[in-house]
Amino acid sequence: MASKIWLDDTLVDPADAVVSVFDHGLLYGDGVFEGIRVYNGRVFELAAHLKRLYESARAIRLTIRMDAAQLTDAVEQTIRANGITDGYIRLVVTRGTGTLGLGPFGCKESRLIIIADRIQLYPEEMYVHGMKVISASTTRNHPLALPPQIKSLNYLNNILAKIEALDSGVMEAIMYNHEGYVAEATGDNVFIVRNGVIYTPPISAGALDGITRRVVIDLARRQGITVVERNLTRFELYVCDEFFLTGTAAEVIGIVDIDGRAIGDGRPGPITCLLREKFFAYAHGKEA
Ligand code: PMP
């Protein structure tokens, strides 16, 4: 449990870390956020996360109360105050307190929340033996309706798919877009391997431009593995050699079953394991 929370311009006790019931972040999901890892006392890819946060805010015409340098300082202070060397940071910017109407511009100042805590998304044995997923029947938000690059507080589309996963006794669901192509998982990006080549859907298919996705693509290319961004079909997921997901909380996790079809030999494949290892080394500041 976090001992101090950053709220707006200062650190406060958790009991004092409260926002109004009239905050449009609560009333409408009007706001943006980031999830960021701390490894060995270093904030992982902070510049990339802050860039995505400021761009998400700009896209919805939300002003963040401080600049990136001040925000970096606030993040560092929050980590120190909670004694975190390996953990997770949740950075949230809400539209702020307004009236019951939708209009965002009547809201007073945006609010800034930084929570530093520990995290384990999936049990360790899932990383060793791989994870099962299902195909969600919930279609991913149309990318022209809500640009997938905006990491907003509106996660209902993903939550509907997550409910389908949990109802089926698995922890993740693959979401397809309006054309039937693979978009992403509810909180992770999708990768498959076929004949030694890695494939991942383009952002335009309706995927968040994942920071882990970018790092893993780079690590794979540095290993001499070809990575292709193109639309993927459900059939291609069913017949691939390897399948893995990437995300800040999940890191790199192998998928060994989708909709009852075993992937490869039913264990995380060699490229998945290599990239997981390289990712761990890179994240912990050892050369990959
Ligand atoms: N897609 C969605 C919908 C996400 O919420 C996330 C973050 N959990 C990702 C993909 C992965 O992005 P990142 O690697 O930046 O965490």
Side-chain angles (χ1 to χ4, degrees):
M1 172 70 178
S3 53
K4 287 283 181 188
I5 309 286
W6 186 279
L7 183 63
D8 296 336
D9 302 307
T10 188
L11 286 163
V12 298
D13 289 331
D16 299 322
V18 289
V19 295
S20 164
V21 294
F22 290 100
D23 192 307
H24 280 210
L26 175 68
L27 290 176
Y28 297 115
D30 186 353
V32 294
F33 80 103
E34 280 296 320
I36 313 172
R37 284 297 267 264
V38 183
Y39 294 110
N40 277 351
R42 283 189 322 138
V43 186
F44 185 62
E45 302 289 304
L46 181 61
H49 280 285
L50 292 188
K51 183 163 183 283
R52 188 169 66 183
L53 182 78
Y54 280 95
E55 286 183 354
S56 292
R58 173 186 284 258
I60 66 164
R61 291 182 59 184
L62 172 67
T63 306
I64 300 178
R65 61 196 299 123
M66 53 179 74
D67 65 24
Q70 293 166 319
L71 193 44
T72 300
D73 186 55
V75 166
E76 300 283 357
Q77 282 193 49
T78 310
I79 294 165
R80 269 201 304 276
N82 289 283
I84 300 280
T85 49
D86 285 277
Y88 179 86
I89 301 157
R90 176 59 60 90
L91 231 163
V92 183
V93 184
T94 74
R95 184 74 70 176
T97 306
T99 61
L100 288 180
L102 260 187
F105 302 135
C107 295
K108 294 193 198 93
E109 252 181 325
S110 67
R111 311 292 307 262
L112 169 64
I113 300 161
I114 309 174
I115 306 167
D117 214 334
R118 279 158 236 289
I119 191 172
Q120 185 174 19
L121 190 60
Y122 302 124
E124 185 55 34
E125 67 97 24
M126 272 197 189
Y127 288 93
V128 178
H129 300 297
M131 188 166 90
K132 293 183 179 190
V133 296
I134 56 140
S135 291
S137 65
T138 304
T139 301
R140 183 81 182 103
N141 281 333
H142 194 300
L144 298 180
L146 184 61
Q149 290 97 332
I150 300 176
K151 195 164 168 62
S152 83
L153 294 179
N154 260 285
Y155 259 58
L156 272 183
N157 184 221
N158 312 56
I159 290 167
L160 290 177
K162 183 83 172 183
I163 287 171
E164 291 185 55
L166 298 174
D167 277 348
S168 304
V170 299
M171 294 184 79
E172 253 298 6
I174 304 304
M175 302 184 75
Y176 299 83
N177 66 21
H178 56 289
E179 294 180 303
Y181 292 116
V182 178
E184 61 180 344
T186 69
D188 296 312
N189 289 111
V190 170
F191 289 81
I192 59 168
V193 181
R194 177 88 163 161
N195 298 326
V197 175
I198 296 179
Y199 298 92
T200 189
I203 301 311
S204 57
L208 181 73
D209 189 355
I211 310 292
T212 322
R213 175 183 183 275
R214 285 192 223 156
V215 168
V216 166
I217 289 174
D218 193 46
L219 290 172
R221 288 188 173 143
R222 279 202 257 157
Q223 293 301 306
I225 305 169
T226 304
V227 183
V228 179
E229 288 182 59
R230 68 156 171 79
N231 280 328
L232 298 175
T233 63
R234 183 184 303 211
F235 174 77
E236 289 179 289
L237 303 188
Y238 286 170
V239 300
C240 67
D241 303 327
E242 296 185 41
F243 188 163
F244 60 90
L245 304 180
T246 66
T248 292
E251 301 176 315
V252 178
I253 186 158
I255 303 302
V256 291
D257 188 292
I258 174 165
D259 301 336
R261 280 86 169 168
I263 304 299
D265 64 1
R267 286 176 301 180
I271 291 181
T272 305
C273 294
L274 174 73
L275 289 175
R276 183 162 165 69
E277 199 181 293
K278 295 289 171 195
F279 181 81
F280 185 89
Y282 179 74
H284 288 81
K286 299 170 199 133
E287 201 26 62

